[in-house]
Amino acid sequence: MRRAAGRLKGLNPWIGAAAFGLAAFLIWRILNRYSLHAILESLRTISPHNLGLGALFTAASFVCLTGFDALGVRYTGRDLPYRRIALVSFTSISIGHTIGFAAASSGAVRYRFYAGWGLSAGDVGRIIVFSGVTVALGLATLGGAVLLIRHGLIGQLFGVDPRAMLGLGLVLLTIVLTYVGLAAFRHRPLRIRDFELPVPPLGLALAQILIGTLDPMLVSAVLHQMLKASAHVGYFAVVMCYITAIVAAFFAHVPGGLGVIEAVILSLVPGANVIGALLAFRAIYYLIPFGLGSLIFGVSELLRRQRRVVADPG
């Protein structure tokens, strides 16, 4: 992990600049279609009630995300107090969500904290992989369930044969069930070169699926609350749009899905009336947590430096 971090160190500024440039271009193309007056009018349609519920769902999502790290620490066989795990989780994920390249950015923050509490680079690597698998399981479970239940609606939404949507839903749920079967019956670790990954026990795998599914449901609920005032769009349609956008943003490495989420939602509900809802969603779910997470990380770094000075005054 240290070797990989060293290789990325020199590239990170260029990668980050390119990602932010792409994100800025995407968001400019979207906002450029609308006047400032139209955007402000769209923002005014969001009621305090919807904003409050959006903030509540955001808080619930970040609490749920602490479970990713809590299960990951348990997976490594280590024992840390929940308050420490919650601190690492919120700080790393709020930063990683917004600046993109979550495995590298949030992974670096995680390593900074966990290494100081005695976890090895291998342990931190396993926590990162475990969290990534939890995200994938959650998206596959939720996406598969929605496609199974509402394949007609989703097929119409994306202009695809509903039977193809039904088939995709079955494939996604089959992948999840295969993972459950692996956890139930395989007891030997998986080996990737020199990196060994123990197969989680069944209880841990089921907990992964549960919290991995709950989180995108909560994030979709935040987005749905912002859209409710200005567009008649159902929750399940928002869920599928959000999952589609997140998967696309992951492969494009766009920070926080900036521009991708907006483009997918605007294809569903075109017009200036929803642009304010999208901006409010980005502020509530990404920018405010990013500000808090950056502040926490900055304070922790300052305290760590002060402790180092006290311990080694010479």
Side-chain angles (χ1 to χ4, degrees):
M1 175 126 182
R2 284 195 190 97
R3 226 178 2 236
R7 289 194 201 106
L8 284 171
K9 191 175 180 181
L11 291 174
N12 272 345
W14 299 102
I15 294 171
F20 271 109
L22 174 61
F25 174 70
L26 289 171
I27 202 70
W28 175 81
R29 283 191 62 183
I30 290 165
L31 293 178
N32 193 45
R33 305 173 198 169
Y34 312 110
S35 68
L36 179 61
H37 175 74
I39 292 170
L40 291 175
E41 282 299 311
S42 179
L43 282 167
R44 289 190 192 103
T45 64
I46 306 171
S47 70
H49 174 73
N50 292 129
L51 285 171
L53 283 175
L56 206 63
F57 285 130
T58 295
S61 169
F62 276 93
V63 170
C64 180
L65 287 168
T66 65
F68 286 40
D69 275 65
L71 292 177
V73 170
R74 182 178 167 190
Y75 170 70
T76 65
R78 298 303 190 110
D79 185 26
L80 284 176
Y82 174 73
R83 66 181 182 277
R84 287 188 171 183
I85 294 172
L87 174 70
V88 178
S89 172
F90 176 78
T91 307
S92 62
I93 291 174
S94 63
I95 292 173
H97 267 175
T98 304
I99 68 175
F101 301 95
S105 54
S106 65
V109 176
R110 279 185 171 111
Y111 182 76
R112 189 73 174 159
F113 280 102
Y114 284 135
W117 295 330
L119 272 68
S120 68
D123 289 332
V124 178
R126 289 182 185 91
I127 291 170
I128 292 168
V129 172
F130 185 89
S131 296
V133 171
T134 303
V135 171
L137 287 169
L139 292 175
T141 304
L142 182 58
V146 170
L147 287 170
L148 229 61
I149 298 167
R150 303 301 296 272
H151 54 275
L153 170 68
I154 306 306
Q156 184 181 2
L157 174 67
F158 289 100
V160 178
D161 188 337
R163 290 172 297 182
M165 294 290 94
L166 180 62
L168 177 59
L170 289 170
V171 168
L172 290 173
L173 291 177
T174 300
I175 291 170
V176 176
L177 289 173
T178 301
Y179 183 80
V180 172
L182 191 67
F185 299 110
R186 183 184 175 100
H187 304 295
R188 290 181 290 108
L190 299 171
R191 185 177 291 277
I192 304 170
R193 293 187 180 178
D194 296 330
F195 194 69
E196 196 174 83
L197 279 173
V199 177
L202 180 60
L204 205 58
L206 293 175
Q208 273 184 284
I209 294 167
L210 177 64
I211 65 167
T213 304
L214 180 58
D215 178 61
M217 289 178 68
L218 290 167
V219 183
S220 298
V222 179
L223 183 54
H224 185 239
Q225 285 300 318
M226 297 304 102
L227 290 167
K228 275 179 77 171
S230 53
H232 297 290
V233 54
Y235 174 71
F236 287 119
V238 173
V239 168
M240 283 311 301
C241 281
Y242 175 72
I243 291 175
T244 302
I246 286 301
V247 172
F250 171 79
F251 285 109
H253 293 299
V254 176
L258 188 60
V260 180
I261 294 174
E262 286 80 358
V264 172
I265 294 297
L266 284 170
S267 70
L268 170 65
V269 191
N273 61 323
V274 298
I275 195 66
L278 292 168
L279 291 174
F281 166 71
R282 189 155 294 283
I284 288 174
Y285 193 78
Y286 288 97
L287 298 183
I288 293 173
F290 174 68
L292 291 172
S294 299
L295 179 64
I296 292 169
F297 186 66
V299 170
S300 70
E301 285 296 296
L302 184 62
L303 292 174
R304 184 180 285 114
R305 186 172 298 176
Q306 287 178 342
R307 284 195 297 267
R308 195 181 299 130
V309 170
V310 171
D312 186 17

